[in-house]
Amino acid sequence: MKSFTKVTGIAAPMDRANVDTDLIIPKQFLKSIKRSGFGPNLFDGLRYLDEGQPDQDNSKRPLNPDFPLNSPRYQGAQILLARKNFGCGSSREHAPWALDDYGFRCVIAPSFADIFYNNCFKNGLLPVVLTEDQVDQLFREMYKAEGYQLTVDLEQQSVTTPGGDTFHFEVDDFRKHCLLQGLDDIGLTLQDANAIEGYEAQRRKSAPWLFV
Amino acid sequence: MAGKTLYDKLWDAHLVKQRNDGSALLYIDRHILHEVTSPQAFEGLRLAGRKPWRVEANIATPDHNVPTTTVERQAGVAGIADPVSKIQVQTLDDNCDEFGIQEFKINDVRQGIVHVVGPETGACLPGMTIVCGDSHTATNGALGALAHGIGTSEVEHVLATQCLVTKKMKNMLVKVDGKLPVGVTPKDVVLAIIGKIGTAGGTGHAIEFAGEVFRDMSMEGRMTVCNMAIEAGARAGMVAVDEKTIEYVKGRTFAPTGELWDAAVTQWRELHSDSDAQFDTVVEMRGEDIQPQVSWGTSPEMVVPVNGSVPDPESESDPTRRESIKSALAYMDLKAGQAITDIPVDVVFIGSCTNSRIEDIREAAKVVKGRTRAESVKRAMVVPGSGAVKAQAEAEGLHKVFLDAGIEWREPGCSMCLAMNADKLEPGERCASTSNRNFEGRQGYGGRTHLVSPAMAAAAAVTGRFVDVRELV
């Protein structure tokens, strides 16, 4: 897995609450059996003026001029500023795949939906929870200053603004550790194969109907 | 020491290892796979040269992409018109064959929506941990199980290790006591709960639904409620085991029999929260207060009783919420203050993992019987949740009730809940839907979804607008 240590990059807005995974990557793109190539269809319904289809040449599609990611000032953005309950809805990991494929490394919001939050860590994408007031401040500053950049440091668990404000964020130790190192979850779990086998042996005795 | 909640008991029984870094290895009894969220996981296994840890713990069926017209279904996978969908369903078949996983293929009578098939075959049982790459896996919590959705990386992880790396959630109790008014269904109950606590109300929690209303509710009704725990923000929803649970499970294909059955039932009877269990969050409602619900917006929390009206954004003080309401009204083409019963519908969809079981079909048929589809309703369809539901409904003659009324009777699958197959709304079409999400474009690009119960959807089909179904029965 891709690691995440520290990123300094342009911040772009997704300025609405309850952004669901259907909005992040609409279902027609879920028919792919690959885990890459979703970036051009990130926020497809908002980003383009027509209905997108899989395997289409997206460069020929009409762009929605009012959608921030289409604006020159947010090109190359690596940090997405979002509102509360970002990523609600389905468990589709295509949502973090699409954000990652587009070039985002980090999403900052006041809260995230559980499954989306979890899925991000499996893909080198860091979801950062700040308070509503802090997120409000970042939105205000970003709208004011073109080329607005933030620094997100996972080791320090901090977000730093161009003005020098530093906000601390919380992250679980095990998630932080895996993301900093880019560790393969499965390899790590298989180090505990004996514990899993031991559990199964005991469970076969106590609940044998689960093993028929 | 305080007693344990149902969730605490399920967690403790499956804890393989608590790690020093705060994470835990949780054992998974049942893993269900479908075609959309599994191909990349199987590919990951192949690339790493790994095999499933316990292949018999897995069960698969295609549901999201399968066509639901009889014509398209007849030729099996080869008959799927959309080439991209066809590859995805074929890939599931190939992967299950390669790794030796039991799959109910497209025209197997046991095929259906994963969350309908799991309980009805007995593949999902009380006391189990159950995961699937699908957020509506919580449906199985109705059995007194810990069930929730996972992402594709976790699908691969469960295949390879039979465990999840996870962290214990908090406990939430949603207690609804009293009696439901006549004509108010489990769907109305869960929509009312989501309307009250919001789509992030249960974030970080496992919800236990308890109280008289859920005790009185059928098993299928409990599945409808647990199904939408995720729309309340909670990955898992569950209901304690009682006699109804045990009766429901008895005799199902994969349920234990003989001595194993007796031993299982003895343990299952312990699957309830202790009387002195502590919950981190408690929400209480009264059954008498719940009315038939209709969603008006683009989030499941945007819901009102059928006799209510579309809210006015100007009376909302929170600016983010005000903007959400405005944007939802624009997308839904509704006006503040408009009566819900004045909203006409173009399409009616009865189906999805929320509401496609036999009781749902019966409820809808009861309303439709002796009536016909309103002329203004362009299309109405009933999509049973599985081959078994379809066969049962046909044995009861319910399909004829729909067909006689000019309502289509389809083959099982997810269908227009998320429109990955050909069943979708056209831009601007307004749908009364028994599904679970009214997100923008969910049922088709530019489509407008109103979430309702099967009875309310049936009432909309025969009247052409939202009506209080109690006026019809």
Side-chain angles (χ1 to χ4, degrees), chain B residues 8-27:
Chain B
D8 293 339
K9 291 180 183 181
L10 292 166
W11 173 271
D12 290 350
H14 292 87
L15 187 62
V16 172
K17 186 178 180 178
Q18 182 68 53
R19 293 160 154 176
N20 294 333
D21 60 7
S23 68
L25 279 187
L26 194 73
Y27 192 79

Side-chain angles (χ1 to χ4, degrees), chain B residues 8-75:
Chain B
D8 293 339
K9 291 180 183 181
L10 292 166
W11 173 271
D12 290 350
H14 292 87
L15 187 62
V16 172
K17 186 178 180 178
Q18 182 68 53
R19 293 160 154 176
N20 294 333
D21 60 7
S23 68
L25 279 187
L26 194 73
Y27 192 79
I28 301 303
D29 294 317
R30 179 63 75 199
H31 184 206
I32 303 180
L33 298 119
H34 63 71
E35 78 277 21
V36 180
T37 55
S38 66
Q40 299 86 351
F42 282 114
E43 185 62 14
L45 283 191
R46 257 191 302 272
L47 289 173
R50 290 176 174 135
K51 292 265 177 275
W53 176 278
R54 185 158 79 86
V55 74
E56 63 274 17
N58 300 281
I59 204 160
T61 192
D63 55 5
H64 285 60
N65 277 276
V66 296
T68 61
T69 59
T70 308
V71 173
E72 234 187 314
R73 271 300 258 276
Q74 271 165 350

Side-chain angles (χ1 to χ4, degrees), chain A residues 16-27 45-46 85-92 113, chain B residues 135-136 194 198-200 228 230-233 295-302 327-328 331-332 416-419 425 429 431 433 435-451:
Chain A
R16 59 195 269 179
N18 299 312
V19 169
D20 57 72
T21 53
D22 279 77
L23 213 54
I24 298 173
I25 181 83
K27 72 272 176 168
L46 301 173
N85 201 27
F86 187 85
C88 62
S90 88
S91 64
R92 61 186 71 164
Chain B
S135 60
H136 291 111
I194 297 162
T199 53
M228 290 190 71
I230 186 69
E231 273 66 51
S295 77
W296 53 266
T298 53
S299 164
E301 69 186 27
M302 295 173 162
S327 131
Y331 183 84
M332 295 295 289
M416 205 192 274
C417 172
L418 85 168
L425 297 179
E429 280 184 338
C431 182
S433 177
S435 55
N436 41 58
R437 290 187 178 136
N438 49 355
F439 298 155
E440 289 182 23
R442 169 87 177 178
Q443 294 194 287
Y445 183 75
R448 301 176 175 130
T449 303
H450 295 269
L451 304 174

Side-chain angles (χ1 to χ4, degrees), chain A residues 195-212:
Chain A
I196 304 171
E197 281 163 0
Y199 172 87
E200 280 182 333
Q202 165 260 315
R203 192 76 171 152
R204 268 176 208 278
K205 285 187 201 142
S206 65
W209 59 88
L210 295 172
F211 294 86
V212 289

Side-chain angles (χ1 to χ4, degrees), chain A residues 27 31 93 118 199-200 206, chain B residues 13 27 82 153-154 267 441:
Chain A
K27 72 272 176 168
K31 295 178 188 179
E93 201 161 313
N118 197 40
Y199 172 87
E200 280 182 333
S206 65
Chain B
Y27 192 79
D82 178 344
S153 294
E154 289 178 320
Q267 284 189 25

Side-chain angles (χ1 to χ4, degrees), chain B residues 274-447:
Chain B
D274 295 332
S275 55
D276 57 344
Q278 296 289 315
F279 288 85
D280 301 286
T281 311
V282 178
V283 176
E284 292 188 83
M285 291 169 70
R286 293 293 305 177
E288 292 81 4
D289 298 339
I290 300 175
Q291 303 298 319
Q293 304 283 309
V294 180
S295 77
W296 53 266
T298 53
S299 164
E301 69 186 27
M302 295 173 162
V303 69
V304 287
V306 61
N307 295 318
S309 54
V310 175
D312 185 350
E314 297 313 323
S315 53
E316 173 61 55
S317 54
D318 178 77
T320 307
R321 290 173 76 104
R322 188 162 57 234
E323 284 312 306
S324 297
I325 297 173
K326 275 188 190 166
S327 131
L329 293 189
Y331 183 84
M332 295 295 289
D333 190 28
L334 294 173
K335 289 187 178 56
Q338 198 172 349
I340 294 294
T341 49
D342 284 344
I343 302 173
V345 306
D346 305 307
V347 179
V348 173
F349 170 66
I350 298 173
S352 88
C353 57
T354 313
N355 282 129
S356 64
R357 295 176 186 80
I358 190 66
E359 290 174 11
D360 299 316
I361 312 270
R362 287 181 190 140
E363 282 290 309
K366 205 159 68 182
V367 175
V368 168
K369 198 172 172 63
R371 299 188 171 96
T372 52
R373 171 167 58 91
E375 269 181 38
S376 58
V377 174
K378 292 190 256 181
R379 273 175 299 150
M381 62 166 87
V382 182
V383 186
S386 69
V389 172
K390 180 167 185 266
Q392 177 65 31
E394 290 178 354
E396 295 177 23
L398 303 179
H399 63 310
K400 287 219 183 71
V401 173
F402 298 115
L403 291 169
D404 289 349
I407 295 171
E408 294 175 57
W409 176 248
R410 296 290 191 100
E411 300 292 323
C414 298
S415 182
M416 205 192 274
C417 172
L418 85 168
M420 275 190 77
N421 69 353
D423 309 337
K424 57 182 79 164
L425 297 179
E426 295 299 319
E429 280 184 338
R430 189 181 296 285
C431 182
S433 177
T434 66
S435 55
N436 41 58
R437 290 187 178 136
N438 49 355
F439 298 155
E440 289 182 23
R442 169 87 177 178
Q443 294 194 287
Y445 183 75

